[in-house]
Amino acid sequence: EKDVVLVGSFKRDLSTVKVDNINKTYDGAASRLNVTGLKDGDTVTFWTVDGSELDNSFTNVKESQEVIVKVWNGELFKELRTSVVISPKELTIASMSDSKPYDGSPLERHEVTVTGEFAEGEGATYTYTGSQTIPGSSKNEFSYTLNEGTDEDNYAITAETGTLTVTDVEDSKRGKFEVVANSRTVKYDGSSQTVTGLENDTFTWNGHEYKVDGLTATASGTDAGSYSSIVEGTAVVLDEKGNDVTKQF
């Protein structure tokens, strides 16, 4: 009886080679395509659809694309197609709201909240222009500039503005001022004498200067004696920029 020797050969079958895809929101981290079913001796390369070879590393939104994966083993060859989709990260940047009673100084709030975080090491610099001084409300306007190394294509940013509100001063805390009519002393000479105007039409409150308009005072007489100069009119208080803030006094 003779020994039987079986001689065979192994033929590589690439049908089991698969590749996944990448579908994620931008997070600043590099992702790789995972090719499974590989054996020793297999060679894998990655290509764009227009024939440019790629590194198997995808980080930014602009790297989203269709990818061709080529697998060789000797004379065997397999081509796979997959996709890389990296979506912009949604962020909402909102300036803060604030309020206070009128005090003559501008209300400003140089602060923002960011809903959804920038990737590690990335961010923005903010410039604030919102300001409200007189009673009323306005937007807390701001702008932002992305820091170096922060790609705007990787983010879908929504900017929202808060509100700055200045309210009227409480009745018990309103500013007070006194207006005094001018005085004049002359010697009798038989002619009519007149005095007009106010000693002061400006005053300072909380470190700010105000002007009073709308008031007049006049007194006149011929005979020796005293004549009253009565302040008349309706006072209008103007701040340093000419805003009517009468209600605060």
PDB file of all heavy atoms in Angstrom, residues 5-21:
ATOM      1  N   VAL A   5      -0.083  11.488  -1.129  1.00  0.00           N
ATOM      2  CA  VAL A   5       0.271  12.879  -0.803  1.00  0.00           C
ATOM      3  C   VAL A   5      -0.648  13.797  -1.596  1.00  0.00           C
ATOM      4  O   VAL A   5      -0.705  13.729  -2.823  1.00  0.00           O
ATOM      5  CB  VAL A   5       1.743  13.184  -1.132  1.00  0.00           C
ATOM      6  CG1 VAL A   5       2.044  14.637  -0.816  1.00  0.00           C
ATOM      7  CG2 VAL A   5       2.655  12.230  -0.349  1.00  0.00           C
ATOM      8  N   LEU A   6      -1.390  14.636  -0.845  1.00  0.00           N
ATOM      9  CA  LEU A   6      -2.271  15.604  -1.491  1.00  0.00           C
ATOM     10  C   LEU A   6      -1.570  16.943  -1.597  1.00  0.00           C
ATOM     11  O   LEU A   6      -1.051  17.469  -0.604  1.00  0.00           O
ATOM     12  CB  LEU A   6      -3.570  15.758  -0.685  1.00  0.00           C
ATOM     13  CG  LEU A   6      -4.408  14.472  -0.533  1.00  0.00           C
ATOM     14  CD1 LEU A   6      -5.619  14.755   0.352  1.00  0.00           C
ATOM     15  CD2 LEU A   6      -4.827  13.949  -1.904  1.00  0.00           C
ATOM     16  N   VAL A   7      -1.535  17.461  -2.754  1.00  0.00           N
ATOM     17  CA  VAL A   7      -0.894  18.766  -2.985  1.00  0.00           C
ATOM     18  C   VAL A   7      -1.985  19.741  -3.416  1.00  0.00           C
ATOM     19  O   VAL A   7      -2.732  19.492  -4.357  1.00  0.00           O
ATOM     20  CB  VAL A   7       0.195  18.665  -4.063  1.00  0.00           C
ATOM     21  CG1 VAL A   7       0.801  20.043  -4.312  1.00  0.00           C
ATOM     22  CG2 VAL A   7       1.260  17.662  -3.646  1.00  0.00           C
ATOM     23  N   GLY A   8      -2.102  20.864  -2.684  1.00  0.00           N
ATOM     24  CA  GLY A   8      -3.105  21.867  -3.036  1.00  0.00           C
ATOM     25  C   GLY A   8      -2.526  23.262  -2.949  1.00  0.00           C
ATOM     26  O   GLY A   8      -1.378  23.458  -2.549  1.00  0.00           O
ATOM     27  N   SER A   9      -3.276  24.195  -3.343  1.00  0.00           N
ATOM     28  CA  SER A   9      -2.856  25.604  -3.274  1.00  0.00           C
ATOM     29  C   SER A   9      -4.011  26.451  -2.751  1.00  0.00           C
ATOM     30  O   SER A   9      -5.180  26.101  -2.945  1.00  0.00           O
ATOM     31  CB  SER A   9      -2.412  26.100  -4.653  1.00  0.00           C
ATOM     32  OG  SER A   9      -3.488  26.077  -5.573  1.00  0.00           O
ATOM     33  N   PHE A  10      -3.662  27.577  -2.053  1.00  0.00           N
ATOM     34  CA  PHE A  10      -4.653  28.497  -1.492  1.00  0.00           C
ATOM     35  C   PHE A  10      -4.775  29.707  -2.399  1.00  0.00           C
ATOM     36  O   PHE A  10      -3.785  30.320  -2.763  1.00  0.00           O
ATOM     37  CB  PHE A  10      -4.237  28.934  -0.075  1.00  0.00           C
ATOM     38  CG  PHE A  10      -5.085  30.036   0.468  1.00  0.00           C
ATOM     39  CD1 PHE A  10      -6.369  29.770   0.944  1.00  0.00           C
ATOM     40  CD2 PHE A  10      -4.612  31.333   0.495  1.00  0.00           C
ATOM     41  CE1 PHE A  10      -7.145  30.791   1.446  1.00  0.00           C
ATOM     42  CE2 PHE A  10      -5.390  32.340   0.999  1.00  0.00           C
ATOM     43  CZ  PHE A  10      -6.663  32.083   1.475  1.00  0.00           C
ATOM     44  N   LYS A  11      -5.991  30.003  -2.768  1.00  0.00           N
ATOM     45  CA  LYS A  11      -6.232  31.181  -3.592  1.00  0.00           C
ATOM     46  C   LYS A  11      -6.943  32.227  -2.741  1.00  0.00           C
ATOM     47  O   LYS A  11      -8.001  31.967  -2.172  1.00  0.00           O
ATOM     48  CB  LYS A  11      -7.077  30.813  -4.804  1.00  0.00           C
ATOM     49  CG  LYS A  11      -7.296  31.987  -5.755  1.00  0.00           C
ATOM     50  CD  LYS A  11      -8.104  31.564  -6.982  1.00  0.00           C
ATOM     51  CE  LYS A  11      -8.284  32.730  -7.934  1.00  0.00           C
ATOM     52  NZ  LYS A  11      -9.067  32.335  -9.135  1.00  0.00           N
ATOM     53  N   ARG A  12      -6.327  33.410  -2.633  1.00  0.00           N
ATOM     54  CA  ARG A  12      -6.887  34.490  -1.817  1.00  0.00           C
ATOM     55  C   ARG A  12      -8.223  34.931  -2.394  1.00  0.00           C
ATOM     56  O   ARG A  12      -8.378  35.169  -3.574  1.00  0.00           O
ATOM     57  CB  ARG A  12      -5.911  35.685  -1.807  1.00  0.00           C
ATOM     58  CG  ARG A  12      -6.425  36.895  -1.027  1.00  0.00           C
ATOM     59  CD  ARG A  12      -6.418  36.632   0.471  1.00  0.00           C
ATOM     60  NE  ARG A  12      -6.769  37.832   1.212  1.00  0.00           N
ATOM     61  CZ  ARG A  12      -7.983  38.086   1.709  1.00  0.00           C
ATOM     62  NH1 ARG A  12      -8.948  37.200   1.519  1.00  0.00           N
ATOM     63  NH2 ARG A  12      -8.204  39.170   2.393  1.00  0.00           N
ATOM     64  N   ASP A  13      -9.209  35.032  -1.511  1.00  0.00           N
ATOM     65  CA  ASP A  13     -10.542  35.481  -1.905  1.00  0.00           C
ATOM     66  C   ASP A  13     -10.795  36.839  -1.249  1.00  0.00           C
ATOM     67  O   ASP A  13     -10.865  36.937  -0.020  1.00  0.00           O
ATOM     68  CB  ASP A  13     -11.579  34.465  -1.439  1.00  0.00           C
ATOM     69  CG  ASP A  13     -12.991  34.868  -1.836  1.00  0.00           C
ATOM     70  OD1 ASP A  13     -13.143  35.903  -2.522  1.00  0.00           O
ATOM     71  OD2 ASP A  13     -13.937  34.165  -1.439  1.00  0.00           O
ATOM     72  N   LEU A  14     -10.915  37.885  -2.085  1.00  0.00           N
ATOM     73  CA  LEU A  14     -11.100  39.237  -1.550  1.00  0.00           C
ATOM     74  C   LEU A  14     -12.569  39.592  -1.320  1.00  0.00           C
ATOM     75  O   LEU A  14     -12.886  40.722  -0.947  1.00  0.00           O
ATOM     76  CB  LEU A  14     -10.483  40.269  -2.503  1.00  0.00           C
ATOM     77  CG  LEU A  14      -8.967  40.164  -2.722  1.00  0.00           C
ATOM     78  CD1 LEU A  14      -8.498  41.236  -3.694  1.00  0.00           C
ATOM     79  CD2 LEU A  14      -8.223  40.302  -1.394  1.00  0.00           C
ATOM     80  N   SER A  15     -13.439  38.634  -1.531  1.00  0.00           N
ATOM     81  CA  SER A  15     -14.869  38.939  -1.406  1.00  0.00           C
ATOM     82  C   SER A  15     -15.269  39.282   0.020  1.00  0.00           C
ATOM     83  O   SER A  15     -16.312  39.908   0.260  1.00  0.00           O
ATOM     84  CB  SER A  15     -15.705  37.772  -1.916  1.00  0.00           C
ATOM     85  OG  SER A  15     -15.502  36.623  -1.103  1.00  0.00           O
ATOM     86  N   THR A  16     -14.444  38.886   0.984  1.00  0.00           N
ATOM     87  CA  THR A  16     -14.784  39.158   2.383  1.00  0.00           C
ATOM     88  C   THR A  16     -14.280  40.520   2.856  1.00  0.00           C
ATOM     89  O   THR A  16     -14.534  40.930   3.988  1.00  0.00           O
ATOM     90  CB  THR A  16     -14.176  38.080   3.289  1.00  0.00           C
ATOM     91  OG1 THR A  16     -12.754  38.059   3.132  1.00  0.00           O
ATOM     92  CG2 THR A  16     -14.754  36.709   2.956  1.00  0.00           C
ATOM     93  N   VAL A  17     -13.547  41.224   2.004  1.00  0.00           N
ATOM     94  CA  VAL A  17     -13.013  42.533   2.392  1.00  0.00           C
ATOM     95  C   VAL A  17     -14.138  43.569   2.320  1.00  0.00           C
ATOM     96  O   VAL A  17     -14.811  43.719   1.301  1.00  0.00           O
ATOM     97  CB  VAL A  17     -11.842  42.959   1.478  1.00  0.00           C
ATOM     98  CG1 VAL A  17     -11.364  44.365   1.857  1.00  0.00           C
ATOM     99  CG2 VAL A  17     -10.709  41.945   1.604  1.00  0.00           C
ATOM    100  N   LYS A  18     -14.329  44.271   3.416  1.00  0.00           N
ATOM    101  CA  LYS A  18     -15.365  45.300   3.505  1.00  0.00           C
ATOM    102  C   LYS A  18     -14.766  46.592   4.060  1.00  0.00           C
ATOM    103  O   LYS A  18     -13.721  46.568   4.716  1.00  0.00           O
ATOM    104  CB  LYS A  18     -16.511  44.851   4.422  1.00  0.00           C
ATOM    105  CG  LYS A  18     -17.111  43.481   4.084  1.00  0.00           C
ATOM    106  CD  LYS A  18     -17.882  43.509   2.778  1.00  0.00           C
ATOM    107  CE  LYS A  18     -18.527  42.150   2.507  1.00  0.00           C
ATOM    108  NZ  LYS A  18     -19.220  42.118   1.202  1.00  0.00           N
ATOM    109  N   VAL A  19     -15.439  47.696   3.817  1.00  0.00           N
ATOM    110  CA  VAL A  19     -15.008  48.975   4.379  1.00  0.00           C
ATOM    111  C   VAL A  19     -16.236  49.687   4.946  1.00  0.00           C
ATOM    112  O   VAL A  19     -17.328  49.631   4.375  1.00  0.00           O
ATOM    113  CB  VAL A  19     -14.296  49.853   3.317  1.00  0.00           C
ATOM    114  CG1 VAL A  19     -15.213  50.214   2.172  1.00  0.00           C
ATOM    115  CG2 VAL A  19     -13.715  51.115   3.967  1.00  0.00           C
ATOM    116  N   ASP A  20     -16.051  50.323   6.096  1.00  0.00           N
ATOM    117  CA  ASP A  20     -17.164  51.080   6.668  1.00  0.00           C
ATOM    118  C   ASP A  20     -17.171  52.503   6.092  1.00  0.00           C
ATOM    119  O   ASP A  20     -16.436  52.802   5.146  1.00  0.00           O
ATOM    120  CB  ASP A  20     -17.070  51.103   8.198  1.00  0.00           C
ATOM    121  CG  ASP A  20     -15.820  51.816   8.702  1.00  0.00           C
ATOM    122  OD1 ASP A  20     -15.033  52.323   7.874  1.00  0.00           O
ATOM    123  OD2 ASP A  20     -15.627  51.877   9.937  1.00  0.00           O
ATOM    124  N   ASN A  21     -17.988  53.355   6.639  1.00  0.00           N
ATOM    125  CA  ASN A  21     -17.975  54.753   6.218  1.00  0.00           C
ATOM    126  C   ASN A  21     -17.784  55.640   7.444  1.00  0.00           C
ATOM    127  O   ASN A  21     -17.733  55.153   8.576  1.00  0.00           O
ATOM    128  CB  ASN A  21     -19.255  55.120   5.457  1.00  0.00           C
ATOM    129  CG  ASN A  21     -20.507  54.926   6.293  1.00  0.00           C
ATOM    130  OD1 ASN A  21     -20.438  54.838   7.516  1.00  0.00           O
ATOM    131  ND2 ASN A  21     -21.646  54.836   5.636  1.00  0.00           N
TER     132      ASN A  21
END
